[in-house]
Each structure stands twice: as C-alpha cells, then as structure tokens.
C-alpha cells in the first residue's frame, strides 16, 4: 500500500488519504480481504489514527469498505444495482408471496401523502426485498381501507394470507400512474435488524405513490441499505444500468 | 417539549428520544427556530449528552435538523423535491448558460461507464444546479472527444464559451435513451464548498448514462445535498410528487 507521506496537501489530510487508500483498494486488495488494523495503517501512512478513521469512515460511506464487529474492516464488493424504475405499470405484490400483513399504524408523513385523516383505517403489508440473494430493502405498503372496499368481507386472519387478500383487492383498481422519491434516512430498529445493519445506519428511503382514479390509492415506503445498494432507473426496461 | 423520562424502552434509548424530539419539532417548534443547547436538552429529557447527541445526529441525517457552526442547531425546512426523472428525452444543457468548461480528468469509474481507455480525451463541463433559489447539486458532464468530433475546429478558449460549444455539438447526436442510478456518497472538497457543506458530508450521487447509436455518448455525475434534497422521479411528467 506504499508509504506516501501526506504533507502540504491543500485538501483536508483525511480526504487525500481516502483517495490514496481508495486507489490501493483497486490495485492491491481483493474483495472480502481484511485490511490491516488501524494502528498499522496509521503508521504506514504517517497519519494520526483520528485522520485514518475519518478516511475509513468516508470509504465506508462510499461503499468501498465494510466494517463488521468481530471481523474488522474488509474490502466491500461493488454495490448491487436494484431497479426502482416506474416503467412497469403494475401494483406491487403481483405474483409474489413474500408479503406479510402487519399490525401497525401509518406514520403522519404517510397519512399526509394518502390525504386521509390519522384515524382512518389503513392496511399495512410488509416484505423484505431480496436481490441476488441479499436482503436489500424492507418495504412497507400502506393501503387505506377505502382503496380495498371488498376486503372486509374476506376476513383472512392475518400474516401472509391477509397480505395476499389486500394485494389481490388492490389489483382490482386501475393503476393510473406512480411517482417515486429517494431521500437519505436512518434505519429504524426493526428494519435495521432485518437488513443486518445497526439502528440509525444511513439508508436510502424510496417513497412511492400509486395513483388510481385521481387519488393516491396506496403508498409504499422502502428502506434500502445504502452501503450495498445502488438504485437504478432507466427510461426503458432494457436500458437499466449494468452492475 | 415536555419532560418525558426515557425508562424501560425496548428500542435503543436515543432512538426513542429521536422520535420524541421529532414529534416535538412538529408541534412546538417553527422552521428555522434554534433548539436549546445540548446541556439543557439532555437535562430536560433526563438523558446523557451522548444519548442526546446520537438522537440529534439521526434527526440531522433525516433532514429534520440543521447544525451550523456559529448558529447552533435549527429546525430544518422540508426537503426540496428535485426532479431527476428520465422522461425528458433531451441532452443536458439545452438552452442553459450555467455550464463551465473545466480542466479535469475523468475518474476511473467514469471511463469504465464510457467504455474508453483512461488516455482518451474527455471534455468536462460543470454546473451548479439551483432549485428554488438553493444550490442543490454540483454536476459534472463527461463527453468523450469521440462523441463531439466537430468540436476541435471551433477552438473556443475555455470557460462558459467552451462549455457551450461542447453542449451544442452534443445536441447534434440522436439521444436514444438514458439511465440513471442513485447511491450514497460523500462530498468531495470542491463540491462541498459550492454546496455549503463540509467535505465528506453525506450526499446523493446521481449518475446518468446518455446513450446514442448503441453506445454511451456522455456520462453525468451529479452530487446532491442529502440534507436538503429529496430526489423525485415519476413515470409521466405531471405525476412528479409534490413537495
């Protein structure tokens, strides 16, 4: 990894160090390889450990390094591209059996998007999205009772059966369009556990509004791992960026 | 803001505290208002300052709080929705005069996306994207010399004139499609300065490939402020999520 001394650099020292280590990761290290410990690395680059730690934190934020308790710091594989394009005109859950009904209330931000009052009944179903064998997102779909008026009669008890009923009823509506937003968030404790992250870890929150007959018929809030995922969306199905 | 004591909560203490403060921000505080100092807040909620700081960090990550040196911690305005949908079939820079030519090389990740060798010439133009009066993104557009063969003859000296020439030449190509990805990154020192952030702050990196005649004719890498921006993309122009 060289012994570059980091003197008289106009950028912050840790930033330059980050670039130097980043280049070394490309050339000298393999994916999954464990980095030397912080003391050795700091000595090798002639920097204080605080500087080294800042550089490693940046590289973790950029998805180049993974820090796991009990393992140490390893070289991360390239981020997995996850398609979140809105070109497929389909309700969520069609043909899938990975959704579960959960007993939870819609947060205030969701009731605002649904344009309903906080006391209106909302069905909540949840799934773990898996891509290339990795859990990449925890997704919650909020469906106001008004959107699925045929549901009450079915009376499935809960869990996957109830989720299937909610999603089947949703399919009966005409889907006029959807829009999506992506923003930075922090992982809630329950999502973090499913995604094998610590609570509060940075995540990408994808919020989708499903529109039917001039109103928002359902809202999905999906929490993607920001360390391992790159969200992709193209303007046609076959143009999605390759990994 | 109440004096809720945080005892016997199954979630991490700071997480529950975050929720409590988040609710108080909705009801008791106005946008731009300065929060009491950490010592007073910690005392009010009966938590250690380390716990309080963790909660404030989460709220900052979620865009609810802004911490600025010399000002303190203020209540953040709602994030600005910035449209990044790929439904407009247009090259970047059409009709705009905010681009500058810069003398910089394409990073390795960009030359890979362009499928060129590192020594091939690439024109680089840059702009600061402004939405609702706020600088929201620093965008770099990489155009291989091969994509704009007519450019060499024009010989504009640099700066905005050169950028205009590069973008005009690009308009001559047929744009067959584009795809985009969003991932978490950390702000480079130069971008951070333009965006009024500290180097290394979390940012949303939007990478776009512009496709023409079966190849990637240009690549744009835009660094969006993650604290103030929510990226929106719909499947039709008029469905973009309202702020």
């Amino acid at each position: 990894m060289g012994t570059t001394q980091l003197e008289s650099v106009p950028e912050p020292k840790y930033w330059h160090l980050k670039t130097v280590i980043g280049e070394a990761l490309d050339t000298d290290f393999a994916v999954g390889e464990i980095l030397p410990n912080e003391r050795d690395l700091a000595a090798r680059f002639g920097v204080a450990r605080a500087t080294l730690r800042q550089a490693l934190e940046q590289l973790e934020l950029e998805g180049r390094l993974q820090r796991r308790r009990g393992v140490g710091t390893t070289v991360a594989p390239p981020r997995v591209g996850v398609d979140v394009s809105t070109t497929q005109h389909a309700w969520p859950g069609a043909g899938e059996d990975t959704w579960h009904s959960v007993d939870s209330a819609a947060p205030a931000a969701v009731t605002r998007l649904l344009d309903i009052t906080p006391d209106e009944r909302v069905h909540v179903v949840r799934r773990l999205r898996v891509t290339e064998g990795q859990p990449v997102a925890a997704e919650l779909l909020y469906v106001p009772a008004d959107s699925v008026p045929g549901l009450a009669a079915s009376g499935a008890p809960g869990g996957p059966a109830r989720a299937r009923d909610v999603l089947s009823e949703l399919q009966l509506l005409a889907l006029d369009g959807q829009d999506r937003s992506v923003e930075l968030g922090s992982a809630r404790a329950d999502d973090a556990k499913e995604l094998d992250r610590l609570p509060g870890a940075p995540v990408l929150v994808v919020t989708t509004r499903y529109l039917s007959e001039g109103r928002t018929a359902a809202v999905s809030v999906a929490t993607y791992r920001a360390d391992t995922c790159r969200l992709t969306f193209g303007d046609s199905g076959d143009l999605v960026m390759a990994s």
Side-chain angles (χ1 to χ4, degrees), chain A:
Chain A
M1 212 183 248
T3 55
T4 322
Q5 294 295 309
L6 297 162
E7 304 294 88
S8 63
V9 173
E11 287 181 318
K13 243 184 187 177
Y14 75 88
W15 192 264
H16 181 65
L17 176 63
K18 189 208 77 164
T19 309
V20 171
I21 299 177
E23 283 164 7
L25 293 180
D26 281 334
T27 54
D28 303 353
F29 286 81
V31 166
E33 199 170 335
I34 298 172
L35 249 57
N37 68 42
E38 286 188 359
R39 197 178 48 195
D40 290 355
L41 282 175
R44 203 183 286 201
F45 290 103
V47 296
R49 280 181 71 171
T51 306
L52 177 77
R53 247 182 243 127
Q54 276 184 295
L56 296 181
E57 271 168 26
Q58 297 302 317
L59 287 163
E60 197 187 3
L61 206 60
E62 292 170 18
R64 303 294 312 276
L65 293 176
Q66 285 179 317
R67 288 201 278 184
R68 282 175 295 180
R69 281 176 301 186
V71 177
T73 302
T74 58
V75 180
R79 281 175 171 160
V80 176
V82 185
D83 183 16
V84 293
S85 54
T86 51
T87 46
Q88 267 201 307
H89 278 272
W91 291 102
E96 287 172 42
D97 205 16
T98 55
W99 295 85
H100 283 67
S101 176
V102 290
D103 187 22
S104 112
V110 170
T111 58
R112 274 196 296 272
L113 285 176
L114 288 168
D115 198 18
I116 58 173
T117 59
D119 54 322
E120 281 184 63
R121 179 136 188 246
V122 178
H123 302 287
V124 187
V125 298
R126 180 185 172 89
R127 69 159 174 167
L128 189 66
R129 184 173 175 181
V130 176
T131 299
E132 297 180 22
Q134 293 179 41
V136 291
E139 182 170 7
L140 284 158
L141 180 71
Y142 299 93
V143 183
D146 255 6
S147 297
V148 287
L151 185 68
S154 82
R162 181 76 177 171
R164 208 157 40 230
D165 287 349
V166 171
L167 294 167
S168 302
E169 286 294 315
L170 204 51
Q171 311 284 334
L172 301 178
L173 296 180
L175 177 61
D176 297 335
Q178 50 187 302
D179 59 27
R180 218 153 256 183
S181 75
V182 181
E183 62 191 310
L184 182 65
S186 61
R188 298 189 333 189
D190 54 346
D191 295 336
K193 199 179 165 193
E194 277 202 323
L195 297 172
D196 191 23
R197 303 249 62 199
L198 292 176
V203 290
L204 297 170
V205 179
V206 178
T207 306
T208 308
R209 287 198 311 178
Y210 294 94
L211 307 174
S212 179
E213 292 170 16
R215 64 187 201 89
T216 304
V219 164
S220 145
V221 179
T223 297
Y224 285 82
R225 285 184 65 149
D227 55 337
T228 57
C229 291
R230 204 182 62 246
L231 306 179
T232 66
F233 47 109
D235 59 353
S236 88
D238 55 350
L239 288 175
V240 168
M241 199 172 285
S243 301

